[in-house]
Amino acid sequence: MSELFPSQRIQILLPLPLSGVLDYLVSGDFNLKEGDFVTVPLSGRQVQGVVWDMDPKESGVPTEKLKYVTANSELPALPLNLMEFVKWVSDYTLSPLGSVLKMALSVPRGSDKPKKKILYKIAADLPSKLTKSQNRVCDAAISDMPLSVQAWCDVAVVGQGVIRGMIKTNLLIPVEVYGEEQFMTPDIDLESAILSDEQRTAADHIILQQKSDTYNCILLEGVTGSGKTEVYFEAIAEALGKENSQILVLVPEIALTTQWLERFSERFGAPPVIWHSEMTPAQRRRAWWATIRGEARVIVGARSALFLPLKNLKLVIVDEEHSQTFKQDEGVMYNGRDMAVVRAMQSHCPIVLASATPSLETLINAENGKYDWLYLGERHGPAELPQMASVDLRVHKLNAGSWISEPLFTALKENYGRGEQSLLYLNRRGYAPLTLCRSCGHRMECPHCSAWLVEHHKFNRLECHHCGFNRIVPDQCPGCEAKESLVACGPGVERVAEELQNLFPDARLAVMSSDEISSPKALKEMIENIENHNVDFIVGTQIVTKGYHFPMLTLVGVIDADLGMSGADPRAAERTWQQLEQVAGRAGRAEHPGRVIFQTYNPDHPVLQALISGDKDLFLEQEAASREAQNLPPYGKLASLILSGPDKNKVINACKHLARLAPHSDDISVLGPVPAPLSYLRGNYRYRFLVKATTKVKIQNEIRDWLDKIPANRGVRIQIDIDPYSFY
Ligand code: ADP
Ligand code: ZN
């Protein structure tokens, strides 16, 4: 190493599940700064990491034992705000820092240097006489942004021949660019919706916050169809007006929001940059690069978009903020909604949480004044909120093997007769949730999980919805070998569709569940079929609750409104209310009035009362009071610890050890261990502890101290879930 540049000790974070940073030496002529990508040796391999601390406090490892940084990288440095965010998420979720960094580095590798490419831009001097197609191309140009041949064809709607011709005659000029093709910039000057007074007030409030460049969290609550999307589009337009600003929109299931994307493109003349886990590596690379270079202006994505290198974040939107899909239940267990609030806070920008059915957490924060609270009480235009009623199944008894009651059938018949669309909702995939033997009572269970196998008629298979194990439906009982004795118990969407088809043999049916919808394209086709009224009846799982707007849909029937009401989940009632309110919100969204019918054995349940009376406040107050009394979220803190492993005794012993050392005080208690409801999953035995704490203590510190007391146990995995949403 040269004398001029003495070497220095620095800390590097590697995207590996290690607990923290590692010390390395670097020679000064590398000229590194925090956030830079480097290559370092680690147990004989060369790995990529990020410079985390250029001036670390002394650590235990003596200098002579340290290795040197091998190479620096041409990749742009990770923005400091992203490093700060990674650190925060790691501390909060008790996940290794390296595991969180890994989520932020889902794309770049040292070898991923952007490739050179030739794109074409419009010539500065154009002759006055152009052909009609050439004029189209010039009109489609967005300032002097260069595009590929295919992109020109797409934006100008012309053939490749036209573009090639223009290149030959120097009307389009080649430009060499690095990296991926640019994204189009949204245009804020296009025509926008004329907002109602209510909508205008809400939009103005967000815009005002947005102008001040400070953090503020705003709940945008509005009944289904009230125009929340239109309102935040206005806020996005305003934020886009700031130079180089970036806007992040989180949505629950990106693949399911084709209607949203079309609306965005219509409003802004360009599609947003999309980010989700099912993208190809090439698509990811393009979006990641566009983000770090600042070209990506509006990014719409799933929760993982939070870890994109957004340098100039000016506005965050979380749509359907109550949605459980924001919670990641594997690996780093984090809640995308909550972490979005942190990201906004660290970026000093406002965040909007939008929903027709806000979570209790968010509502309490709004009530306390921690969040601003905007409310839209009316549906847009002539649309009115649907009429809701329940059918008491104790009175209107179902026939054996039938799931549609007489009153629901009558309503379906009327609606069908009028040529309007109806939706039947049941949040259960497949044909039947349980198959059992009529002779011996044997239940068809998964060999790897403590779960029943679900029959899927379509494939003549029994499937485990937890691990994916499946087998064909046997023709004799595996227990007593009786022939043709297996019977399906209970309904899934396939079975309801079968009944419906028998009742209305000529009707056109669509089943919306993840089994029927194999790709975004298949989904798009189905949506178009429904929009174009090529479908009379839709039978669907929770997929249908995701913000769709079907103008001809006027009747919603809920097959089993009691489903999901019970169980260990403290949010069971809240979630059922949210799902039912959302599915009900699909009815009567245009000029035709809507109706909703809930089939139930418990019409007096507060959830149903709230839905039918339209007065959710009483229900939410009761829900809040009961949570407060039990010190459950949002009044207290919960964390769950799942211990799992293939050797049951080892797992139990580790549990006993932990139980002896569990913290106990006025502010913290530990329940368990008990076998998890899914006590056997993918060949692993599972036991769980539930940690309950008041807000006076920091639950993370308590858990960290507790786990530090026991040695790592081979063959037993401990998963920590802070703020758990899954109780299986
Ligand atoms: P939400 O997000 O609250 O469910 P949307 O924003 O999807 O509501 O609005 C419901 C429907 O009403 C959409 O088709 C939307 O385009 C339309 N809409 C809402 N507000 C307006 C407005 N101010 N002008 C025109 N159309 C509107
Ligand atoms: Zn299984």
Side-chain angles (χ1 to χ4, degrees):
M1 288 299 139
S2 96
E3 286 285 302
L4 263 177
F5 301 106
S7 52
Q8 179 189 352
R9 176 193 290 255
I10 62 172
Q11 286 183 330
I12 308 287
L13 182 61
L14 304 176
L16 302 169
L18 306 163
S19 57
V21 291
L22 298 174
D23 286 17
Y24 282 91
L25 288 175
V26 65
S27 102
D29 51 359
F30 269 6
N31 202 5
L32 293 175
K33 62 178 184 308
E34 277 155 27
D36 276 340
F37 287 90
V38 288
T39 308
V40 294
L42 181 79
S43 353
R45 283 187 307 147
Q46 294 291 327
V47 288
Q48 181 180 250
V50 172
V51 177
W52 206 251
D53 195 341
M54 284 299 292
D55 185 20
K57 315 259 159 348
E58 201 49 50
S59 88
V61 189
T63 309
E64 56 277 16
K65 288 214 168 150
L66 296 181
K67 296 220 162 68
Y68 275 89
V69 171
T70 331
N72 55 357
S73 157
E74 284 172 40
L75 292 166
L78 217 54
L80 295 181
N81 72 16
L82 183 55
M83 293 168 64
E84 192 190 355
F85 182 62
V86 165
K87 171 103 179 55
W88 207 98
V89 173
S90 158
D91 285 344
Y92 189 86
T93 59
L94 293 175
S95 310
L97 201 51
S99 301
V100 184
L101 179 69
K102 189 157 188 267
M103 298 198 290
L105 301 192
S106 51
V107 167
R109 262 169 288 129
S111 56
D112 269 358
K113 244 181 282 165
K115 284 190 218 81
K116 237 184 251 182
K117 246 190 199 173
I118 307 286
L119 300 180
Y120 300 91
K121 67 174 188 180
I122 296 278
D125 296 315
L126 290 171
S128 54
K129 255 188 109 58
L130 291 171
T131 67
K132 222 170 142 194
S133 311
Q134 289 173 341
N135 264 320
R136 282 254 285 279
V137 175
C138 296
D139 288 345
I142 304 147
S143 61
D144 62 351
M145 188 170 116
L147 296 175
S148 67
V149 172
Q150 188 54 48
W152 277 119
C153 295
D154 292 345
V155 293
V157 200
V158 296
Q160 289 224 354
V162 175
I163 303 300
R164 301 245 177 251
M166 289 177 76
I167 295 170
K168 250 195 204 131
T169 52
N170 293 328
L171 296 173
L172 284 172
I173 312 289
V175 229
E176 227 179 40
V177 294
Y178 285 90
E180 313 290 333
E181 193 174 304
Q182 283 186 319
F183 284 91
M184 289 163 73
T185 309
D187 184 349
I188 54 176
D189 295 324
L190 294 180
E191 204 181 328
S192 61
I194 299 163
L195 299 187
S196 68
D197 289 350
E198 199 181 51
Q199 292 173 341
R200 187 75 256 166
T201 312
D204 285 346
H205 181 88
I206 304 170
I207 289 168
L208 195 71
Q209 299 297 326
Q210 213 272 309
K211 281 190 171 147
S212 68
D213 272 336
T214 46
Y215 160 77
N216 191 17
C217 186
I218 304 157
L219 163 60
L220 175 59
E221 181 184 7
V223 298
T224 50
S226 58
K228 297 181 287 296
T229 316
E230 298 297 336
V231 167
Y232 71 67
F233 274 4
E234 288 318 289
I236 291 176
E238 185 70 26
L240 274 171
K242 284 190 183 162
E243 215 180 334
N244 300 325
S245 56
Q246 293 182 307
I247 294 125
L248 176 65
V249 185
L250 293 188
V251 292
E253 266 154 87
I254 181 72
L256 304 176
T257 50
T258 46
Q259 284 188 327
W260 191 98
L261 293 173
E262 277 163 21
R263 271 172 79 179
F264 185 94
S265 297
E266 226 165 86
R267 170 66 180 83
F268 293 104
V273 175
I274 296 174
W275 183 266
H276 58 88
S277 56
E278 274 137 61
M279 284 165 40
T280 64
Q283 289 171 325
R284 276 168 174 267
R285 211 173 306 133
R286 183 172 172 228
W288 196 90
W289 279 104
T291 308
I292 200 160
R293 281 199 301 255
E295 288 158 24
R297 301 293 305 276
V298 181
I299 294 123
V300 53
R303 56 181 182 243
S304 54
L306 281 170
F307 293 92
L308 282 169
L310 293 148
K311 275 200 237 182
N312 203 18
L313 193 56
K314 291 291 175 203
L315 178 66
V316 182
I317 314 273
V318 182
D319 204 355
E320 312 288 357
E321 71 87 31
H322 62 278
S323 173
Q324 217 169 258
T325 45
F326 287 123
K327 182 69 200 274
Q328 175 151 307
D329 281 328
E330 287 172 346
V332 177
M333 298 194 177
Y334 69 98
N335 186 323
R337 189 249 341 260
D338 298 344
M339 295 306 120
V341 175
V342 174
R343 190 86 160 96
M345 205 182 281
Q346 293 180 338
S347 305
H348 310 288
C349 75
I351 172 169
V352 176
L353 306 179
S355 174
T357 53
S359 61
L360 205 57
E361 274 80 1
T362 298
L363 280 172
I364 301 289
N365 280 329
E367 225 165 63
N368 293 341
K370 237 172 109 178
Y371 295 173
D372 291 353
W373 194 348
L374 302 173
Y375 184 71
L376 306 176
E378 281 161 23
R379 276 194 162 179
H380 170 73
E384 304 230 339
L385 284 170
Q387 295 282 329
M388 312 213 198
S390 60
V391 168
D392 188 341
L393 292 178
R394 294 167 306 185
V395 179
H396 301 278
K397 293 206 163 58
L398 295 173
N399 296 324
S402 159
W403 321 102
I404 298 171
S405 65
E406 187 60 42
L408 179 55
F409 170 66
T410 308
L412 289 166
K413 203 163 90 181
E414 280 168 15
N415 224 44
Y416 180 50
R418 269 201 302 271
E420 294 176 12
Q421 286 172 325
S422 308
L423 162 73
L424 288 184
Y425 172 74
L426 176 65
N427 196 17
R428 234 196 232 138
R429 292 164 47 206
Y431 185 80
L434 167 66
T435 303
L436 64 77
C437 170
R438 232 182 333 222
S439 321
C440 74
H442 176 87
R443 292 163 180 215
M444 299 299 290
E445 286 183 27
C446 176
H448 312 292
C449 305
S450 45
W452 296 338
L453 293 175
V454 176
E455 181 176 349
H456 286 252
H457 243 191
K458 213 176 140 194
F459 315 107
N460 189 33
R461 295 192 88 84
L462 295 166
E463 187 190 308
C464 171
H465 283 181
H466 298 284
C467 73
F469 167 87
N470 63 80
R471 58 175 294 177
I472 64 168
V473 183
D475 53 10
Q476 62 181 46
C477 170
C480 68
E481 297 183 357
K483 286 231 170 4
E484 279 163 28
S485 68
L486 293 176
V487 285
C489 297
V493 276
E494 285 181 15
R495 199 168 193 183
V496 172
E498 180 184 85
E499 180 177 1
L500 203 52
Q501 194 75 81
N502 288 338
L503 293 171
F504 302 97
D506 300 326
R508 299 158 303 172
L509 253 68
V511 177
M512 272 179 94
S513 83
S514 52
D515 300 301
E516 308 291 323
I517 299 165
S518 46
S519 67
K521 187 161 159 271
L523 176 70
K524 197 161 175 239
E525 274 170 25
M526 187 174 287
I527 305 274
E528 277 169 9
N529 257 333
I530 300 172
E531 282 173 342
N532 298 335
H533 209 166
N534 297 329
V535 166
D536 303 306
F537 295 106
I538 308 151
V539 183
T541 61
Q542 49 84 30
I543 285 188
V544 301
T545 63
K546 296 285 148 49
Y548 292 114
H549 183 73
F550 298 130
M552 283 308 286
L553 177 63
T554 52
L555 174 66
V556 169
V558 174
I559 295 294
D560 184 353
D562 309 327
L563 192 68
M565 219 67 111
S566 53
D569 183 352
R571 293 186 188 81
E574 179 192 346
R575 213 183 38 249
T576 306
W577 166 68
Q578 282 159 344
Q579 270 176 7
L580 295 183
E581 186 80 52
Q582 293 284 351
V583 73
R586 298 314 112 207
R589 288 173 68 94
E591 57 270 28
H592 308 283
R595 266 177 89 185
V596 184
I597 293 174
F598 301 104
Q599 297 194 133
T600 174
Y601 287 96
N602 192 0
D604 298 327
H605 195 286
V607 166
L608 284 169
Q609 292 291 324
L611 289 164
I612 289 162
S613 67
D615 179 8
K616 60 174 191 177
D617 293 347
L618 181 64
F619 161 67
L620 287 170
E621 265 167 42
Q622 287 171 353
E623 208 27 51
S626 115
R627 299 253 195 107
E628 189 167 18
Q630 298 173 73
N631 201 18
L632 287 169
Y635 298 95
K637 275 280 183 193
L638 277 187
S640 100
L641 251 65
I642 302 240
L643 279 73
S644 62
D647 182 336
K648 193 172 177 178
N649 281 329
K650 268 193 177 171
V651 179
I652 291 177
N653 283 336
C655 281
K656 282 185 182 156
H657 195 164
L658 263 184
R660 276 196 297 276
L661 299 167
H664 272 289
S665 74
D666 286 350
D667 289 314
I668 189 159
S669 58
V670 175
L671 311 174
V674 291
L678 252 173
S679 58
Y680 188 54
L681 176 65
R682 297 186 189 99
N684 287 298
Y685 293 91
R686 303 169 79 240
Y687 283 77
R688 66 181 289 154
F689 289 95
L690 198 60
V691 186
K692 276 178 81 175
T694 67
T695 45
K696 280 190 217 143
V697 289
K698 204 167 172 234
I699 199 166
Q700 286 88 352
N701 293 348
E702 302 279 336
I703 293 175
R704 202 181 283 119
D705 291 347
W706 178 26
L707 295 183
D708 277 350
K709 288 183 200 154
I710 65 155
N713 213 326
R714 262 166 185 265
V716 180
R717 183 164 169 235
I718 302 184
Q719 274 175 297
I720 308 167
D721 189 357
I722 307 285
D723 309 329
Y725 276 69
S726 161
F727 290 82
Y728 292 103

